[in-house]
Amino acid sequence: MKAAVNKIISFSNVDGPGNRCSIFFQSCPFRCLYCHNPETINMCVNCGECVKTCPVQALQMVDGKVVWDKKLCVECDTCIKTCKHLASPRISWMSVEDVVEHIKSIKPFIRGITVSGGECMNHADFLLELFKETKKLGLTCLIDSNGYYDFEDYPELMAVCDGVMLDVKAISDDFHYFVTEQHNAMVLKNLRTLLAMHKLEEVRTVVLPGYEDENTKTVTGVSEIIKSECRYKLLKYRYFGVRDAGVKIFGESIVSHDELVRCQKICEEHGCSTSVII
Ligand code: SF4
Ligand code: SF4
Protein backbone atom coordinates (compact mmCIF):
# COMPACT_ATOMS: atom_id res chain seq x y z
CA MET A 1 0.00 0.00 0.00
CA LYS A 2 1.36 3.42 -1.01
CA ALA A 3 -0.02 6.90 -0.44
CA ALA A 4 0.66 10.23 -2.16
CA VAL A 5 2.70 12.34 0.25
CA ASN A 6 3.03 16.02 -0.56
CA LYS A 7 5.71 16.68 2.03
CA ILE A 8 7.07 15.72 5.41
CA ILE A 9 8.15 18.35 7.91
CA SER A 10 10.40 16.54 10.35
CA PHE A 11 10.01 19.02 13.20
CA SER A 12 6.95 21.18 13.74
CA ASN A 13 5.73 22.91 16.88
CA VAL A 14 2.43 24.14 15.43
CA ASP A 15 0.80 20.80 14.69
CA GLY A 16 -0.05 19.62 18.17
CA PRO A 17 1.75 19.39 21.51
CA GLY A 18 5.55 19.18 21.57
CA ASN A 19 7.89 18.70 18.67
CA ARG A 20 6.14 16.65 16.01
CA CYS A 21 6.81 15.17 12.58
CA SER A 22 4.05 16.42 10.26
CA ILE A 23 3.13 14.33 7.25
CA PHE A 24 1.08 16.10 4.56
CA PHE A 25 -0.96 13.86 2.28
CA GLN A 26 -2.15 14.86 -1.18
CA SER A 27 -5.83 15.43 -2.12
CA CYS A 28 -8.79 16.93 -0.32
CA PRO A 29 -12.58 16.91 -0.79
CA PHE A 30 -12.82 20.59 0.25
CA ARG A 31 -11.97 23.59 -1.97
CA CYS A 32 -11.31 26.19 0.72
CA LEU A 33 -11.02 29.66 -0.74
CA TYR A 34 -8.37 30.60 1.81
CA CYS A 35 -6.36 27.36 1.67
CA HIS A 36 -2.65 28.05 2.17
CA ASN A 37 -1.63 24.86 0.38
CA PRO A 38 -4.00 24.84 -2.62
CA GLU A 39 -1.54 22.63 -4.48
CA THR A 40 -2.52 19.78 -2.10
CA ILE A 41 -6.19 19.78 -3.18
CA ASN A 42 -6.13 17.63 -6.34
CA MET A 43 -4.08 14.83 -7.79
CA CYS A 44 -1.93 15.77 -10.80
CA VAL A 45 -3.63 15.08 -14.14
CA ASN A 46 -0.29 14.91 -15.98
CA CYS A 47 -1.09 17.76 -18.35
CA GLY A 48 2.65 18.54 -18.57
CA GLU A 49 2.34 22.33 -18.29
CA CYS A 50 4.64 22.62 -15.28
CA VAL A 51 7.35 20.56 -17.00
CA LYS A 52 7.86 23.42 -19.48
CA THR A 53 8.35 26.04 -16.76
CA CYS A 54 10.78 24.28 -14.41
CA PRO A 55 14.03 26.29 -14.62
CA VAL A 56 16.30 23.36 -13.77
CA GLN A 57 14.62 20.49 -15.67
CA ALA A 58 13.67 18.73 -12.46
CA LEU A 59 10.42 17.67 -14.14
CA GLN A 60 10.04 15.35 -17.11
CA MET A 61 7.20 13.57 -18.91
CA VAL A 62 7.85 9.82 -18.93
CA ASP A 63 5.25 7.55 -20.53
CA GLY A 64 2.61 10.28 -20.20
CA LYS A 65 3.31 10.94 -16.55
CA VAL A 66 5.14 13.79 -14.89
CA VAL A 67 8.23 12.64 -13.00
CA TRP A 68 9.92 14.82 -10.37
CA ASP A 69 13.64 14.61 -9.67
CA LYS A 70 13.97 15.62 -6.02
CA LYS A 71 17.76 15.97 -6.28
CA LEU A 72 17.59 18.53 -9.12
CA CYS A 73 14.69 20.50 -7.60
CA VAL A 74 15.61 23.90 -6.13
CA GLU A 75 12.16 24.37 -4.53
CA CYS A 76 11.41 27.55 -6.45
CA ASP A 77 7.65 26.74 -6.58
CA THR A 78 7.41 27.75 -10.27
CA CYS A 79 5.59 24.46 -10.97
CA ILE A 80 3.04 25.18 -8.23
CA LYS A 81 2.39 28.65 -9.66
CA THR A 82 2.05 27.17 -13.17
CA CYS A 83 -0.44 24.46 -12.24
CA LYS A 84 -4.08 25.37 -12.93
CA HIS A 85 -5.39 22.14 -11.42
CA LEU A 86 -4.68 22.81 -7.69
CA ALA A 87 -2.11 20.01 -7.84
CA SER A 88 1.61 19.47 -7.47
CA PRO A 89 4.14 17.44 -9.46
CA ARG A 90 6.31 17.13 -6.33
CA ILE A 91 4.60 14.06 -4.88
CA SER A 92 6.28 11.07 -3.30
CA TRP A 93 4.40 7.77 -3.38
CA MET A 94 5.41 6.29 -0.05
CA SER A 95 4.73 3.00 1.71
CA VAL A 96 4.06 2.80 5.45
CA GLU A 97 7.57 1.36 5.78
CA ASP A 98 9.07 4.39 3.97
CA VAL A 99 7.35 6.83 6.34
CA VAL A 100 8.19 4.77 9.43
CA GLU A 101 11.85 4.64 8.38
CA HIS A 102 11.89 8.44 8.34
CA ILE A 103 10.12 8.64 11.71
CA LYS A 104 12.67 6.24 13.22
CA SER A 105 15.54 8.45 12.00
CA ILE A 106 14.22 11.43 14.01
CA LYS A 107 12.53 9.58 16.87
CA PRO A 108 14.75 10.94 19.70
CA PHE A 109 13.71 14.50 18.82
CA ILE A 110 9.93 14.20 18.53
CA ARG A 111 6.97 13.50 20.80
CA GLY A 112 4.81 12.16 18.02
CA ILE A 113 3.49 12.50 14.50
CA THR A 114 0.64 14.53 13.03
CA VAL A 115 -0.97 13.58 9.75
CA SER A 116 -2.35 16.44 7.72
CA GLY A 117 -2.95 17.47 4.12
CA GLY A 118 -4.85 17.97 1.93
CA GLU A 119 -7.25 15.78 3.88
CA CYS A 120 -5.30 12.92 5.39
CA MET A 121 -8.50 10.93 5.98
CA ASN A 122 -8.60 10.40 2.20
CA HIS A 123 -5.91 7.81 3.10
CA ALA A 124 -7.54 6.28 6.21
CA ASP A 125 -6.37 2.69 5.53
CA PHE A 126 -2.80 3.92 5.23
CA LEU A 127 -3.14 5.95 8.45
CA LEU A 128 -4.31 2.88 10.38
CA GLU A 129 -1.18 0.93 9.46
CA LEU A 130 1.07 3.97 9.97
CA PHE A 131 -0.36 4.66 13.43
CA LYS A 132 -0.03 1.01 14.49
CA GLU A 133 3.68 1.09 13.60
CA THR A 134 4.25 4.53 15.11
CA LYS A 135 2.64 3.51 18.42
CA LYS A 136 5.14 0.64 18.61
CA LEU A 137 7.85 3.34 18.74
CA GLY A 138 6.20 4.93 21.78
CA LEU A 139 5.10 8.04 19.87
CA THR A 140 1.71 9.74 19.85
CA CYS A 141 -0.41 10.00 16.71
CA LEU A 142 -2.65 12.96 15.88
CA ILE A 143 -4.96 13.62 12.94
CA ASP A 144 -5.43 17.10 11.50
CA SER A 145 -8.75 16.98 9.63
CA ASN A 146 -11.45 19.08 8.00
CA GLY A 147 -14.10 16.67 9.33
CA TYR A 148 -15.43 15.56 5.95
CA TYR A 149 -15.44 11.86 6.90
CA ASP A 150 -17.48 10.36 9.74
CA PHE A 151 -14.97 9.37 12.45
CA GLU A 152 -17.49 6.87 13.84
CA ASP A 153 -16.88 4.81 10.68
CA TYR A 154 -13.22 4.28 11.69
CA PRO A 155 -13.24 2.59 15.15
CA GLU A 156 -9.92 0.79 14.57
CA LEU A 157 -8.18 4.00 13.56
CA MET A 158 -9.68 5.91 16.48
CA ALA A 159 -8.40 3.23 18.86
CA VAL A 160 -4.79 4.00 17.87
CA CYS A 161 -5.27 7.75 17.35
CA ASP A 162 -4.47 10.01 20.31
CA GLY A 163 -6.59 12.89 19.12
CA VAL A 164 -8.03 14.88 16.25
CA MET A 165 -7.42 18.52 15.49
CA LEU A 166 -10.64 19.52 13.75
CA ASP A 167 -11.21 22.53 11.51
CA VAL A 168 -14.62 24.14 11.84
CA LYS A 169 -14.64 26.63 9.00
CA ALA A 170 -18.15 27.93 9.66
CA ILE A 171 -21.20 27.11 11.76
CA SER A 172 -23.58 28.42 9.11
CA ASP A 173 -24.01 25.78 6.42
CA ASP A 174 -24.45 28.38 3.68
CA PHE A 175 -21.23 30.14 4.58
CA HIS A 176 -19.39 26.84 5.00
CA TYR A 177 -20.47 25.87 1.51
CA PHE A 178 -19.41 29.25 0.15
CA VAL A 179 -15.93 28.87 1.67
CA THR A 180 -15.33 25.14 1.04
CA GLU A 181 -17.83 23.90 -1.60
CA GLN A 182 -19.01 21.31 0.94
CA HIS A 183 -21.78 21.25 3.56
CA ASN A 184 -20.89 21.21 7.25
CA ALA A 185 -23.36 18.71 8.79
CA MET A 186 -20.66 16.02 9.06
CA VAL A 187 -18.11 18.47 10.48
CA LEU A 188 -20.52 19.43 13.26
CA LYS A 189 -21.43 15.78 13.89
CA ASN A 190 -17.71 15.00 14.21
CA LEU A 191 -17.26 17.92 16.59
CA ARG A 192 -19.79 16.43 18.98
CA THR A 193 -18.74 12.80 18.43
CA LEU A 194 -15.03 13.42 18.98
CA LEU A 195 -15.80 15.42 22.10
CA ALA A 196 -17.89 12.57 23.50
CA MET A 197 -15.11 10.09 22.59
CA HIS A 198 -12.50 12.29 24.35
CA LYS A 199 -10.57 12.38 21.07
CA LEU A 200 -10.88 16.09 20.31
CA GLU A 201 -7.36 17.48 20.65
CA GLU A 202 -8.25 20.98 19.45
CA VAL A 203 -10.65 22.90 17.22
CA ARG A 204 -9.52 25.51 14.72
CA THR A 205 -11.38 28.35 13.03
CA VAL A 206 -9.89 30.86 10.61
CA VAL A 207 -11.09 34.36 11.54
CA LEU A 208 -11.80 36.25 8.32
CA PRO A 209 -11.54 39.94 7.44
CA GLY A 210 -14.82 41.56 6.35
CA TYR A 211 -17.01 38.70 7.60
CA GLU A 212 -17.50 39.72 11.23
CA ASP A 213 -21.06 38.34 11.43
CA GLU A 214 -19.90 34.91 10.26
CA ASN A 215 -16.94 35.03 12.65
CA THR A 216 -19.35 35.80 15.50
CA LYS A 217 -21.72 32.96 14.58
CA THR A 218 -18.92 30.41 14.28
CA VAL A 219 -16.97 31.19 17.43
CA THR A 220 -20.23 31.42 19.40
CA GLY A 221 -21.51 28.10 18.09
CA VAL A 222 -18.25 26.24 18.59
CA SER A 223 -17.70 27.69 22.08
CA GLU A 224 -21.17 26.64 23.17
CA ILE A 225 -20.45 23.06 22.09
CA ILE A 226 -16.90 22.57 23.34
CA LYS A 227 -17.04 24.83 26.41
CA SER A 228 -13.55 24.42 27.85
CA GLU A 229 -13.13 20.75 27.09
CA CYS A 230 -10.45 21.30 24.46
CA ARG A 231 -8.26 24.05 23.06
CA TYR A 232 -9.92 26.39 20.55
CA LYS A 233 -7.44 27.99 18.15
CA LEU A 234 -8.48 31.19 16.41
CA LEU A 235 -6.30 31.41 13.32
CA LYS A 236 -5.54 34.65 11.52
CA TYR A 237 -6.58 34.83 7.89
CA ARG A 238 -3.39 35.56 5.95
CA TYR A 239 -3.37 35.99 2.19
CA PHE A 240 0.09 34.45 1.67
CA GLY A 241 -0.18 31.39 -0.56
CA VAL A 242 -3.93 31.84 -1.05
CA ARG A 243 -5.11 31.36 -4.65
CA ASP A 244 -6.48 34.30 -6.64
CA ALA A 245 -10.14 33.33 -6.14
CA GLY A 246 -9.67 33.55 -2.36
CA VAL A 247 -7.69 36.78 -2.41
CA LYS A 248 -10.44 38.36 -4.56
CA ILE A 249 -12.96 37.65 -1.80
CA PHE A 250 -10.99 38.02 1.42
CA GLY A 251 -8.51 40.59 0.20
CA GLU A 252 -4.79 41.05 0.25
CA SER A 253 -4.73 41.65 3.98
CA ILE A 254 -4.39 39.96 7.34
CA VAL A 255 -7.35 39.97 9.72
CA SER A 256 -6.93 42.66 12.38
CA HIS A 257 -5.79 41.84 15.89
CA ASP A 258 -8.87 43.72 17.19
CA GLU A 259 -11.16 41.28 15.36
CA LEU A 260 -9.30 38.31 16.84
CA VAL A 261 -9.56 39.77 20.34
CA ARG A 262 -13.28 40.46 19.77
CA CYS A 263 -13.76 36.80 18.78
CA GLN A 264 -11.78 35.59 21.76
CA LYS A 265 -14.03 37.62 24.09
CA ILE A 266 -17.08 36.00 22.49
CA CYS A 267 -15.56 32.59 23.23
CA GLU A 268 -15.10 33.51 26.87
CA GLU A 269 -18.66 34.88 27.12
CA HIS A 270 -19.95 31.56 25.81
CA GLY A 271 -18.10 29.36 28.25
CA CYS A 272 -14.90 28.64 26.33
CA SER A 273 -11.86 29.76 28.28
CA THR A 274 -9.35 27.80 26.21
CA SER A 275 -9.23 29.93 23.06
CA VAL A 276 -5.85 31.04 21.81
CA ILE A 277 -4.95 33.40 18.99
CA ILE A 278 -2.41 32.11 16.49
S1 SF4 B 1 9.93 23.67 -7.37
FE1 SF4 B 1 9.05 22.87 -9.27
S2 SF4 B 1 9.68 24.34 -10.85
FE2 SF4 B 1 11.02 24.70 -9.09
S3 SF4 B 1 12.83 23.40 -9.43
FE3 SF4 B 1 11.40 22.16 -8.22
S4 SF4 B 1 10.22 21.02 -9.70
FE4 SF4 B 1 11.22 22.69 -10.82
S1 SF4 C 1 1.22 19.35 -11.47
FE1 SF4 C 1 -0.38 20.50 -12.49
S2 SF4 C 1 0.62 21.50 -14.25
FE2 SF4 C 1 2.01 19.87 -13.53
S3 SF4 C 1 1.50 18.11 -14.80
FE3 SF4 C 1 0.29 17.93 -12.92
S4 SF4 C 1 -1.68 18.89 -13.37
FE4 SF4 C 1 -0.22 19.54 -14.98
Side-chain angles (χ1 to χ4, degrees):
M1 176 168 41
K2 291 200 173 189
V5 174
N6 180 281
K7 66 172 170 267
I8 296 180
I9 295 179
S10 295
F11 308 112
S12 165
N13 58 11
V14 294
D15 293 308
N19 208 14
R20 312 189 72 79
C21 173
S22 296
I23 301 142
F24 294 82
F25 290 85
Q26 187 72 17
S27 74
C28 181
F30 282 17
R31 300 281 177 274
C32 297
L33 283 166
Y34 52 67
C35 180
H36 285 274
N37 306 305
E39 74 277 9
T40 64
I41 291 176
N42 289 327
M43 297 303 293
C44 168
V45 296
N46 296 300
C47 71
E49 285 306 310
C50 60
V51 175
K52 301 175 202 161
T53 60
C54 176
V56 294
Q57 287 78 49
L59 300 170
Q60 280 185 34
M61 288 304 282
V62 179
D63 296 334
K65 289 196 171 160
V66 65
V67 175
W68 172 51
D69 187 331
K70 202 174 182 172
K71 286 188 191 124
L72 288 179
C73 178
V74 292
E75 298 183 12
C76 65
D77 283 353
T78 305
C79 50
I80 303 300
K81 287 172 200 147
T82 304
C83 183
K84 302 278 184 286
H85 301 276
L86 304 178
S88 169
R90 291 150 60 193
I91 298 301
S92 304
W93 285 91
M94 299 181 79
S95 65
V96 170
E97 292 73 26
D98 294 334
V99 181
V100 170
E101 196 179 321
H102 180 75
I103 294 168
K104 279 181 178 167
S105 72
I106 54 170
K107 182 181 171 255
F109 310 105
I110 56 173
R111 194 191 294 186
I113 67 165
T114 299
V115 290
S116 185
E119 171 53 37
C120 59
M121 287 294 290
N122 270 4
H123 311 269
D125 291 347
F126 188 96
L127 298 190
L128 175 60
E129 297 311 313
L130 176 63
F131 281 12
K132 281 183 190 168
E133 293 306 311
T134 304
K135 298 297 274 187
K136 287 181 194 166
L137 302 174
L139 297 169
T140 56
C141 300
L142 296 179
I143 292 174
D144 175 0
S145 173
N146 62 26
Y148 177 82
Y149 294 98
D150 187 347
F151 281 96
E152 283 193 308
D153 289 344
Y154 300 91
E156 262 195 287
L157 178 60
M158 294 319 292
V160 285
C161 166
D162 292 285
V164 176
M165 298 185 288
L166 185 71
D167 292 341
V168 179
K169 319 270 183 190
I171 214 94
S172 136
D173 188 45
D174 285 349
F175 193 62
H176 192 278
Y177 195 88
F178 169 68
V179 170
T180 69
E181 296 185 21
Q182 294 287 350
H183 294 288
N184 71 353
M186 184 53 70
V187 180
L188 299 181
K189 176 182 187 282
N190 277 320
L191 180 64
R192 291 186 169 88
T193 305
L194 291 166
L195 197 59
M197 291 164 77
H198 304 290
K199 291 283 185 182
L200 194 60
E201 175 69 25
E202 73 180 25
V203 181
R204 299 151 161 196
T205 292
V206 175
V207 178
L208 296 164
Y211 285 85
E212 289 76 15
D213 287 353
E214 297 299 338
N215 293 338
T216 300
K217 278 189 244 172
T218 303
V219 297
T220 300
V222 171
S223 296
E224 284 176 344
I225 294 169
I226 66 171
K227 302 292 181 194
S228 288
E229 289 183 50
C230 78
R231 185 173 46 247
Y232 188 15
K233 266 191 191 169
L234 304 180
L235 305 172
K236 275 182 202 170
Y237 164 81
R238 297 173 170 92
Y239 68 94
F240 312 110
V242 171
R243 63 196 153 107
D244 292 348
V247 173
K248 239 184 230 171
I249 288 164
F250 301 116
E252 213 168 289
S253 61
I254 297 174
V255 74
S256 73
H257 189 68
D258 286 353
E259 176 61 2
L260 288 156
V261 171
R262 187 186 73 83
C263 288
Q264 194 174 35
K265 279 193 186 139
I266 293 171
C267 295
E268 284 164 15
E269 284 161 14
H270 290 82
C272 175
S273 60
T274 57
S275 64
V276 289
I277 294 171
I278 300 287

